[in-house]
Amino acid sequence: MNLKKYLVRALHRLQKGPGYTYKELLVWYCDNTNTHGPKRIIKEGPKKKLIWFFLTLLFASLVFWQWGILINTYLSYNVTSSLSIGFKTMKFPAVTICNANPFKYSEVKPLLKELDRLIEAALERILQPTPGNSTENMSLPLDLELWNQIPLVLIDEHDKDNPIILDIFETNQTAVDNETAMDSRANKKYKLAVKLCSHQGSENCTYRNFSSAAQAVTEWYILQSTSILSKVPLHERIRMGYQAEDMILACLYGAEPCNYKNFTQIYHPDHGNCYIFNWGMDEEALNSSNPGAEFGLKLILDISQQDYIPYLSSAAGARLMLHQQKSFPFLKDQGIYAMAGTETSIGVLVDELERMGYPYSDCTVNGSDVPVRNLYSQYNTSYSIQACLRSCFQTHMVEICGCGHYMFPLPEGVNYCNNEDNPGWAYCYSSLRSSIKQRQICIDSCKETCNDTQYKMTISMADWPSEASEDWIFHILSYERDMSTNVTLDRNGIIKLNIYFQEYNYRTISESAATTIVWLLSSLGGQFGFWMGGSVLCLIEFGEIIIDSLWITIINVISWCKGLKQRRARARFPDSPPTVSELVEAHTNLGFQPEPVGAVPGAPALPPEPGTPPPNYDSLRVQPLDTLGPESDAD
Amino acid sequence: AAAAPGKKITARLKRTLPVRGPQAPTLSELMRWYCLNTNTHGCRRIVVSRGRLRRLLWIVLTLSAVGLILWQCAELLMNYYSASVSVTVQFQKLPFPAVTICNINPYKYSAMKEYLYELDKETKKALETFYGFSEGKSKVRRSVDDWNSTGSDFFEQIPLLKVEDFSRTATELHSGQKRKIEGSVFHKDSSIVNSGDSNDIIGFQLCDANNSSECALYTFSSGVNAIQEWYKLHYMNIMAQIPLEIKEKLSYSAEDLLLTCFFDGLSCDKRHFTRFHHPLHGNCYTFNSGESGTILSTSTGGSEYGLQVVLYIDEADYNPFLVTSTGAKIMVHDQNEYPFIEDIGTEIETAAATSIGMHFTQSRKLSKPYSDCTETGADIPVENLYNKSYSLQICLHSCFQKAMVESCGCAQYAQPLPAGAEYCNYKKNPNWMYCYYRLHEKFVKEQLGCQQICKDACSFKEWALTTSIAQWPSVVSEDWMLRVLSWDKGQKLNKKLNKTDLANLMVFYKDLNERFISENPANTLVILLSNFGGQLGLWMSCSVVCVIEIVEVFFIDSLSIVLRRQWQRAKKWWSGRQQGRAAQATASDVERQGHENPACIDEDLPTFTTALRLPLPQDSPLPRTPPPNYSTLRLETAFTEQLPDTLELSQH
């Protein structure tokens, strides 16, 4: 019904012809609009009119230009950061404590016995000036099979272009050659290298050169022991590592005593058994509401340095790391050392960065939108960029080498690499590790988390225990641990740790959007208001005028078409009298269209009084503006 | 004929664009007109309101709105140059910084013996004289054979003194003579001033060579400081005379210092290090200095993927007086930065593995007018003596060196040489030490103006270091480790390395998150204008158009009204004087003149009359009508424009 009514009204309007012309419409608009410029155009004299016309145009273009800038600014999604520093009650960080050495040497000795003998013999050969005696001293034959899987070789670089590769245990090699080579070793032309082959005995081999023999030996030993240990089941590996009750001798959190049972055990491939305090997995995380060492965590650890695996880790100490609750400790990246025989005090400042997610910055809230499967989720830990990178590497490793690396968690249905099953794994791994392309892929596919928490540590150290107190402290601690009256501890193994919040314990940088929709609107409004005093209503007014002028156009076009038809008809009957529409046109548009005015035949016949026509128009004009408009709308 | 087209054009212009003069004849009417027709709110209320109280209220409100606008806009303008800080974190492949490593001891003591022979002898003598301390007990093992030879001149000039503070007498080291101290006494440690037993104060006296009465006595609370400072003074004097090439030979070579090197999982060697001679630390080696054109970068964090070096610190070859600690000094810096290792280096312990985790932060400040910092240092009137990019430290050192060359005539040893200057030494510049100490004191007290001239750099890179230490080598691995390292060193096997001669250093990125802290302008012109617009709109619904209106009405129109009135007055006075009938000029005449604008501006007079002729009757009997005229005209404006056309038509 409504539609019909509307259509009828539209038809009437069409039949009536335009109520006013473009010019009238514009003048009316200028006179009645709320924007400031247009009013001036019609109010003043011609000179000012011109000036105001250009001023209005200029301001309008300025407004549009600046609107463009503002919208662009809004779409660039800038952020502002606010910084807050102070002290508040905060969750005490999770503290992971490991021994730098993964396993007790006494426990893993049976596994590594062959390896140790090999490396000892090799060192003997390398270091001893006369190669003869060392081999004779060996009572047992060496397990050369293990050696041949990944051998160490000497590279003679006397002749730079033509280096000679000497296998250390190849006794067949002419002894004379060897001997002369040994003599000139003082010139330091020899290098130790690890020979890595894609298959045993194949020609596809690379030599990993090392400038230092110490480095080469360590690297070789790590490769070999990794292969051996990867075959050992996990519970066995945990058993071989350091037990909590042996390692954590005393614990005090604030005023409350704690013991090794408050620590969560986790098996870390680099460091064996690690113990995490306040991980927040089973129970609520502890809060600390006071700054200072008295209210922090105090620990006494024993790392029993005598039981270290000699070739695996040359640095001795505890490895510790502060991290967020429910996150996996990546000790190689963020961990710090604590030296034996010292008291290490660590003041903590929590440095937080809270970022807005998409579209403000490219970060991930929980890692669910990252294309890499998080292998560390088996520990129930949250996403972190380190976890992502390692998962990415392990996935590549499984894809390319067919087995997983011992240092990272395994995807389902894959085994760890070892020399027997995957003879070329070391070669594959080392080429993958040094591949820049692979790293770049991982960097590109991993995203950082939006909430980045770092623990800034102020580390200080002092000797502990003091010489005067050494005696009784060792006695008590030995008694408590081993129930023995003998001292079972020594300076080389004992570590005291104090971890506490500093006076200012947090520094939070949080982001907020610099440009919100409210900001955008108020800026747009400000611009429009500043140049032209306009508002949204003014825009609507303008839209109205455009619709009106469209109507006028439509009506004009229709009447023009009608006119065309009639002219054709008139061409057929040239003597026809003026039609009704022509008369109507004359009534409505007489004064405003110059062309029909010239064609009006009755013009010279009008009375010669110049004063009369204006009132005529006047009344006409007033009608369309006020009375005609509403009337036509009303019916 | 030539002037005719020009005249025609002007005539046409005048006809098409006639000047009508101000909107109202008098000031008060102009104001009324303005208030009624302006686009700003408030003003209209003043005119429209009825009753004095209401009008007053509206005047107060409007004025306070104007005041508020002015205040708020001033506030906006003042805060225009403020910056907002944004922190972005980017996870990416990071360029590895340059790592400069120095041995704490600058030169091999065994090689330096011939240069330092005299000085050491003097020092030992001083120890013996003052502390009755014989050589056997000390750690100083290097015997000086010619114990009896006489000391050279310049040691006598600046001898160590034992000062008795109260009597102001000093015992000289050589002669044992007591002498009175003249001049001012400088205490290097101010704490000694209140110590009661100041008998054994050791110090030295520096005198102006030209004027021996002007002396400065430097005393120290502890003999350790006194002797070290005194030793350093002479040591610099000696070193200043040795050319650079020889000094480089006297110091440690890369093979000497670096035992093993490992970077990003690959082996590296001395070719990756660049030598750099530091005046106080001898030969230093910079890893990844970027001199070869490539800067190494890491794409994996963690200790395995950083730089791992084992340093050989030959403790036995240390200078006993110059340095008293053992180890190495390292500094992490940008490739373009000069390493001020003596100022901000980190010390590395021997027999330990020092692990240094880095976190990279880059900061950028806005330069002028937001803050007083410099982008490149080019706008600072201090010549950069270091061949590196600008930093505050470089500027301060260069500034001091410049002042030193200007006032002492020679350059200080610890800083680079400016063009045409040479290092101070006692033979050529006998006065330099006194001069230097004086100048240095001035510098510290900020009297040289260096601290005022030098500005901080706008952008800087910072590597936050987390340093931790572990025992190395561990008890069980010590044996094989030392053996293998000895083999590496290529020494004879009977001389096994000592673990206190070794230091293990690991420098790595903790994570590859780069923090970039930058300042951005908080306001742009667009935002400032929007804020202005917001303020104007909020209080008065005003815009630039209103401002132009105000300018038009209050300046141009009122000025023209005032001028016209003055002109008429002058004219009246003139005609009155001429014709002697001033009394005839009635007040109504003046008003009519104002309304009809007959005498507004002379040039436009004809146009006015022509313009006025058509719409207005020739002689309006009531001059007071025009103001209402305007308002009615306003309603009709749309048609007035059409009038002439139709009129013309009808006349045809």
Side-chain angles (χ1 to χ4, degrees):
Chain A
M1 278 308 283
N2 273 339
L3 189 71
K4 198 182 169 190
K5 215 173 167 184
Y6 178 78
L7 288 174
V8 165
R9 209 182 293 168
L11 189 72
H12 284 178
R13 217 167 158 181
L14 284 176
Q15 282 171 346
K16 269 184 194 164
Y20 15 52
T21 57
Y22 296 118
K23 193 170 181 181
E24 249 183 313
L25 187 71
L26 279 180
V27 165
W28 180 84
Y29 170 72
C30 286
D31 200 21
N32 291 289
T33 180
N34 282 316
T35 40
H36 291 175
K39 214 172 196 170
R40 293 275 131 203
I41 300 179
I42 55 157
K43 284 279 164 76
E44 324 236 353
K47 248 182 214 170
K48 277 190 180 166
K49 195 181 275 184
L50 198 72
I51 292 169
W52 275 111
F53 178 69
F54 282 114
L55 273 180
T56 312
L57 265 190
L58 176 75
F59 288 161
S61 48
L62 269 176
V63 166
F64 284 115
W65 172 50
Q66 309 229 312
W67 276 6
I69 293 176
L70 284 172
I71 290 168
N72 243 349
T73 315
Y74 176 72
L75 289 180
S76 64
Y77 295 109
N78 285 325
V79 288
T80 51
S81 309
S82 62
L83 177 76
S84 57
I85 300 175
F87 186 89
K88 64 180 178 192
T89 300
M90 283 184 94
K91 276 181 190 167
F92 198 77
V95 181
T96 302
I97 291 150
C98 310
N99 203 329
N101 183 48
F103 305 107
K104 286 181 182 169
Y105 190 49
S106 50
E107 301 279 344
V108 288
K109 213 167 191 173
L111 290 166
L112 299 178
K113 202 167 66 189
E114 281 303 311
L115 199 61
D116 288 348
R117 281 184 49 225
L118 267 177
I119 192 70
E120 267 159 35
L123 284 180
E124 206 101 324
R125 281 217 159 210
I126 297 163
L127 305 178
Q128 222 74 52
T130 47
N133 8 346
S134 59
T135 34
E136 285 160 8
N137 289 349
M138 301 309 280
S139 47
L140 287 161
L142 289 164
D143 177 16
L144 281 178
E145 198 204 330
L146 197 63
W147 175 265
N148 285 334
Q149 281 163 353
I150 303 168
L152 267 175
V153 291
L154 269 176
I155 297 179
D156 181 3
E157 283 190 339
H158 272 124
D159 187 2
K160 286 249 158 146
D161 307 319
N162 215 358
I164 306 160
I165 296 157
L166 305 165
D167 201 331
I168 292 163
F169 287 115
E170 291 264 311
T171 36
N172 305 0
Q173 202 126 21
T174 45
V176 190
D177 266 11
N178 237 349
E179 228 166 309
T180 47
M182 298 294 174
D183 288 340
S184 53
R185 201 165 284 161
N187 297 340
K188 204 178 178 290
K189 289 287 182 187
Y190 277 94
K191 270 187 180 167
L192 216 54
V194 177
K195 185 181 177 186
L196 299 169
C197 295
S198 56
H199 306 287
Q200 201 174 345
S202 89
E203 291 302 303
N204 192 2
C205 292
T206 53
Y207 294 93
R208 277 198 77 194
N209 274 351
F210 292 91
S211 61
S212 135
Q215 207 80 52
V217 168
T218 319
E219 202 75 5
W220 177 84
Y221 196 87
I222 288 173
L223 280 178
Q224 292 280 22
S225 61
T226 303
S227 159
I228 292 170
L229 289 167
S230 64
K231 283 178 280 186
V232 180
L234 180 66
H235 64 88
E236 191 68 12
R237 271 181 278 156
I238 291 173
R239 192 191 56 76
M240 291 190 301
Y242 292 84
Q243 303 309 310
E245 55 267 40
D246 294 341
M247 198 161 126
I248 300 158
L249 302 182
C251 171
L252 195 67
Y253 178 71
E256 292 168 50
C258 46
N259 62 13
Y260 64 88
K261 286 172 189 147
N262 295 78
F263 289 76
T264 315
Q265 188 267 342
I266 186 173
Y267 179 78
H268 195 285
D270 283 319
H271 296 287
N273 287 343
C274 287
Y275 297 96
I276 307 178
F277 178 77
N278 193 25
W279 204 15
M281 282 295 186
D282 310 319
E283 69 279 340
E284 276 289 293
L286 294 166
N287 283 324
S288 179
S289 47
N290 282 300
E294 285 309 305
F295 301 95
L297 179 69
K298 290 180 176 182
L299 288 174
I300 297 174
L301 307 174
D302 178 37
I303 56 164
S304 45
Q305 216 185 118
Q306 299 300 339
D307 222 2
Y308 267 41
I309 304 171
Y311 295 98
L312 199 58
S313 51
S314 55
R319 202 86 203 260
L320 72 141
M321 182 181 159
L322 308 183
H323 54 104
Q324 270 184 297
Q325 272 76 30
K326 297 185 182 174
S327 71
F328 190 83
F330 293 98
L331 285 143
K332 280 255 159 119
D333 293 24
Q334 315 253 334
I336 59 165
Y337 280 109
M339 194 154 110
T342 61
E343 172 171 358
T344 305
S345 293
I346 301 168
V348 180
L349 168 85
V350 184
D351 190 9
E352 262 179 307
L353 183 65
E354 288 166 4
R355 292 194 290 158
M356 319 244 314
Y358 184 81
Y360 294 96
S361 49
D362 190 23
C363 61
T364 174
V365 179
N366 54 11
S368 55
D369 50 342
V370 170
V372 179
R373 206 168 72 80
N374 187 3
L375 298 177
Y376 286 86
S377 54
Q378 58 184 278
Y379 292 97
N380 269 334
T381 53
S382 55
Y383 172 86
S384 69
I385 184 103
Q386 279 90 3
C388 177
L389 287 174
R390 280 168 176 74
S391 306
C392 178
F393 181 86
Q394 183 75 311
T395 317
H396 280 257
M397 177 98 186
V398 169
E399 265 170 34
I400 295 166
C401 309
C403 57
H405 192 265
Y406 169 70
M407 292 295 171
F408 313 117
L410 276 181
E412 287 106 32
V414 184
N415 288 323
Y416 282 126
C417 298
N418 65 64
N419 284 350
E420 272 80 49
D421 301 334
N422 319 83
W425 79 272
Y427 170 79
C428 179
Y429 164 69
S430 101
S431 63
L432 192 64
R433 196 172 102 146
S434 51
S435 147
I436 290 159
K437 201 180 126 213
Q438 182 272 330
R439 287 189 198 176
Q440 198 56 47
I441 292 170
C442 286
I443 285 179
D444 291 341
S445 50
C446 287
K447 282 186 197 168
E448 64 265 53
T449 47
C450 287
N451 285 357
D452 179 33
T453 304
Q454 287 183 3
Y455 294 93
K456 300 244 169 207
M457 295 174 277
T458 312
I459 303 167
S460 57
M461 283 172 21
D463 262 12
W464 186 86
S466 66
E467 265 177 45
S469 63
E470 196 178 292
D471 199 38
W472 71 264
I473 286 178
F474 285 151
H475 261 106
I476 290 180
L477 290 174
S478 311
Y479 176 76
E480 278 176 355
R481 186 175 69 171
D482 307 325
M483 293 297 167
S484 74
T485 46
N486 300 332
V487 173
T488 54
L489 298 163
D490 65 351
R491 262 206 112 74
N492 282 327
I494 201 145
I495 292 170
K496 191 165 193 277
L497 280 176
N498 300 320
I499 301 164
Y500 53 89
F501 278 142
Q502 287 174 4
E503 196 173 339
Y504 288 102
N505 74 341
Y506 72 93
R507 190 178 78 179
T508 306
I509 299 172
S510 52
E511 282 185 348
S512 54
T515 53
T516 55
I517 196 79
V518 176
W519 172 89
L520 180 71
L521 287 181
S522 77
S523 299
L524 292 180
Q527 279 296 334
F528 199 17
F530 182 70
W531 294 111
M532 301 187 74
S535 65
V536 176
L537 292 176
C538 297
L539 291 180
I540 296 172
E541 272 176 7
F542 194 72
E544 198 189 342
I545 288 301
I546 287 175
I547 292 169
D548 278 356
S549 60
L550 274 178
W551 260 119
I552 292 175
T553 317
I554 291 166
I555 292 165
N556 276 349
V557 165
I558 287 170
S559 64
W560 181 75
C561 286
K562 266 188 201 162
L564 206 70
K565 236 185 235 169
Q566 277 158 13
R567 219 172 293 159
R568 259 185 223 153
R570 212 189 294 166
R572 256 180 267 156
F573 315 99
D575 295 331
S576 69
T579 56
V580 182
S581 66
E582 236 177 304
L583 289 175
V584 169
E585 219 176 48
H587 259 287
T588 47
N589 297 345
L590 182 68
F592 310 103
Q593 286 165 345
E595 304 96 277
V597 160
V600 172
L606 279 167
E609 266 193 312
T612 34
N616 232 351
Y617 289 109
D618 216 326
S619 56
L620 263 175
R621 198 136 303 101
V622 171
Q623 268 173 346
L625 278 182
D626 303 320
T627 49
L628 243 171
E631 255 175 30
S632 62
D633 278 344
D635 55 41
Chain B
K7 264 185 186 170
K8 242 184 207 169
I9 289 167
T10 47
R12 193 155 178 192
L13 267 178
K14 273 178 187 170
R15 199 171 60 239
T16 48
L17 300 170
V19 174
R20 288 217 181 130
Q23 299 284 358
T26 59
L27 274 181
S28 62
E29 271 170 45
L30 183 73
M31 288 303 115
R32 196 180 156 74
W33 177 87
Y34 169 74
C35 284
L36 280 173
N37 292 289
T38 180
N39 284 315
T40 53
H41 300 170
C43 209
R44 196 187 160 82
R45 289 275 135 221
I46 299 174
V47 187
V48 174
S49 295
R50 285 183 189 169
R52 220 171 253 175
L53 182 70
R54 203 171 277 195
R55 185 168 293 186
L56 195 74
L57 205 68
W58 273 109
I59 289 175
V60 170
L61 281 176
T62 313
L63 283 181
S64 55
V66 170
L68 273 172
I69 287 173
L70 289 180
W71 173 45
Q72 302 270 326
C73 288
E75 208 73 340
L76 283 174
L77 266 184
M78 280 195 289
N79 291 330
Y80 182 65
Y81 285 120
S82 59
S84 68
V85 176
S86 73
V87 181
T88 53
V89 174
Q90 215 171 2
F91 179 81
Q92 57 177 19
K93 196 169 157 181
L94 285 181
F96 202 76
V99 182
T100 298
I101 304 167
C102 308
N103 199 326
I104 286 188
N105 185 46
Y107 302 102
K108 292 176 185 167
Y109 192 60
S110 50
M112 286 296 291
K113 212 165 237 174
E114 55 171 307
Y115 299 99
L116 297 178
Y117 171 71
E118 295 274 320
L119 180 60
D120 287 350
K121 203 179 72 184
E122 201 76 5
T123 315
K124 279 167 197 164
K125 201 170 159 191
L127 286 175
E128 203 175 307
T129 322
F130 291 135
Y131 298 98
F133 150 105
S134 72
E135 194 163 313
K137 291 176 196 165
S138 75
K139 271 201 159 186
V140 186
R141 299 252 154 73
R142 286 145 218 94
S143 62
V144 181
D145 303 321
D146 262 336
W147 184 227
N148 291 326
S149 77
T150 51
S152 76
D153 292 344
F154 66 88
F155 293 125
E156 281 175 28
Q157 285 184 25
I158 308 171
L160 274 169
L161 302 169
K162 185 188 263 182
V163 185
E164 278 149 44
D165 207 21
F166 298 113
S167 56
R168 292 181 73 81
T169 51
T171 315
E172 210 174 295
L173 162 67
H174 282 279
S175 51
Q177 284 170 352
K178 291 203 172 187
R179 67 174 186 201
K180 199 91 181 142
I181 301 162
E182 285 155 39
S184 50
V185 177
F186 290 94
H187 294 296
K188 270 281 177 175
D189 312 311
S190 54
S191 62
I192 58 130
V193 176
N194 46 25
S195 67
D197 51 345
S198 45
N199 295 336
D200 282 352
I201 294 173
I202 303 287
F204 52 87
Q205 195 175 22
L206 293 174
C207 289
D208 193 342
N210 307 322
N211 178 10
S212 59
S213 67
E214 213 174 283
C215 286
L217 181 75
Y218 292 91
T219 58
F220 299 87
S221 63
S222 159
V224 173
N225 291 339
I227 283 170
Q228 265 198 297
E229 198 77 3
W230 180 82
Y231 188 90
K232 215 185 240 172
L233 200 71
H234 288 293
Y235 171 80
M236 290 209 294
N237 199 29
I238 293 164
M239 292 315 292
Q241 298 169 52
I242 304 173
L244 183 68
E245 302 83 66
I246 296 176
K247 277 194 284 189
E248 278 181 356
K249 267 183 208 137
L250 290 173
S251 189
Y252 300 90
S253 68
E255 289 96 333
D256 286 338
L257 187 66
L258 304 160
L259 271 184
T260 77
C261 169
F262 210 62
F263 177 74
D264 204 6
L266 294 170
S267 198
C268 54
D269 56 22
K270 61 172 182 176
R271 280 169 299 179
H272 294 86
F273 288 84
T274 318
R275 184 167 63 191
F276 141 80
H277 190 85
H278 190 280
L280 297 179
H281 287 283
N283 283 351
C284 294
Y285 293 90
T286 306
F287 177 76
N288 191 25
S289 67
E291 228 154 75
S292 56
T294 50
I295 292 171
L296 297 168
S297 56
T298 36
S299 44
T300 317
S303 51
E304 289 165 272
Y305 294 93
L307 176 70
Q308 292 178 41
V309 283
V310 175
L311 304 174
Y312 178 61
I313 310 286
D314 194 1
E315 203 187 345
D317 222 1
Y318 264 43
N319 187 325
F321 303 112
L322 191 67
V323 283
T324 46
S325 49
T326 316
K329 253 188 160 177
I330 78 137
M331 189 178 154
V332 174
H333 58 100
D334 187 56
Q335 276 80 10
N336 290 324
E337 226 175 278
Y338 183 85
F340 285 98
I341 204 150
E342 72 275 27
D343 295 338
I344 38 180
T346 310
E347 270 150 10
I348 300 297
E349 214 178 315
T350 55
T354 308
S355 112
I356 298 180
M358 299 185 293
H359 188 80
F360 183 44
T361 308
Q362 216 176 340
S363 319
R364 244 197 104 67
K365 276 206 285 187
L366 285 171
S367 60
K368 271 189 173 162
Y370 292 92
S371 66
D372 195 24
C373 67
T374 174
E375 294 278 355
T376 56
D379 52 335
I380 284 171
V382 177
E383 190 202 350
N384 186 348
L385 297 177
Y386 298 82
N387 198 15
K388 295 283 183 178
S389 65
Y390 179 86
S391 71
L392 181 66
Q393 197 87 332
I394 280 181
C395 177
L396 288 175
H397 281 267
S398 303
C399 178
F400 179 76
Q401 187 74 306
K402 207 178 88 185
M404 178 93 186
V405 172
E406 270 169 21
S407 58
C408 305
C410 59
Q412 211 258 326
Y413 177 66
Q415 283 130 27
L417 277 176
E422 58 177 11
Y423 286 128
C424 294
N425 72 67
Y426 221 76
K427 280 184 188 132
K428 281 185 185 162
N429 319 83
N431 201 24
W432 81 269
M433 284 190 195
Y434 178 73
C435 180
Y436 167 73
Y437 270 82
R438 271 295 160 90
L439 203 67
H440 193 260
E441 203 184 314
K442 266 192 185 172
F443 176 75
V444 171
K445 287 181 181 165
E446 299 191 13
Q447 285 168 351
L448 281 183
C450 288
Q451 283 84 351
Q452 283 77 36
I453 295 172
C454 291
K455 298 176 197 164
D456 45 358
C458 284
S459 60
F460 50 96
K461 292 174 179 173
E462 190 202 352
W463 283 269
L465 307 181
T466 309
T467 311
S468 60
I469 301 172
Q471 196 180 336
W472 178 88
S474 65
V475 176
V476 285
S477 66
E478 192 180 323
D479 179 52
W480 77 266
M481 196 54 129
L482 292 177
R483 261 166 62 208
V484 175
L485 285 174
S486 308
W487 183 78
D488 277 339
K489 190 102 181 89
Q491 283 175 331
K492 291 162 217 135
L493 281 178
N494 51 15
K495 205 231 170 191
K496 208 172 119 181
L497 292 175
N498 199 339
K499 76 170 175 181
T500 54
D501 282 338
L502 300 170
N504 192 345
L505 169 70
M506 288 176 268
V507 183
F508 57 92
Y509 272 116
K510 270 161 76 180
D511 49 29
L512 295 176
N513 282 338
E514 178 194 341
R515 245 181 216 200
F516 185 67
I517 301 173
S518 62
E519 280 188 348
N520 303 311
N523 296 306
T524 60
L525 196 64
V526 178
I527 290 166
L528 182 76
L529 292 183
S530 312
N531 289 342
F532 273 4
Q535 287 297 331
L536 291 173
L538 177 67
W539 298 111
M540 290 194 80
S541 170
C542 184
S543 66
V544 171
V545 174
C546 305
V547 177
I548 295 175
E549 263 178 19
I550 289 168
V551 170
E552 186 193 353
V553 170
F554 284 85
F555 292 88
I556 300 172
D557 282 5
S558 357
L559 207 69
S560 71
I561 287 173
V562 170
L563 278 179
R564 195 173 61 202
R565 184 145 308 166
Q566 294 299 324
W567 169 252
Q568 280 171 358
R569 201 167 287 167
K571 215 173 143 188
K572 200 172 71 186
W573 173 77
W574 180 249
S575 59
R577 218 179 89 162
Q578 281 217 324
Q579 296 172 10
R581 42 187 188 99
Q584 296 297 46
T586 55
S588 66
D589 193 26
V590 174
E591 269 180 19
R592 194 205 298 144
Q593 270 175 346
H595 279 290
E596 293 164 16
N597 302 335
C600 182
I601 299 156
D602 292 8
E603 284 174 39
D604 291 328
L605 214 62
T607 26
F608 264 106
T609 44
T610 46
L612 285 165
R613 205 170 17 201
L614 273 176
L616 283 173
Q618 286 301 317
D619 275 302
S620 71
L622 287 167
R624 284 191 189 276
T625 33
N629 238 353
Y630 283 101
S631 52
T632 48
L633 264 175
R634 200 133 302 104
L635 280 175
E636 289 165 355
T637 25
F639 323 103
T640 44
E641 307 303 315
Q642 302 303 130
L643 264 163
D645 273 348
T646 41
L647 279 174
E648 267 174 318
L649 256 173
S650 51
Q651 270 161 359
H652 269 299

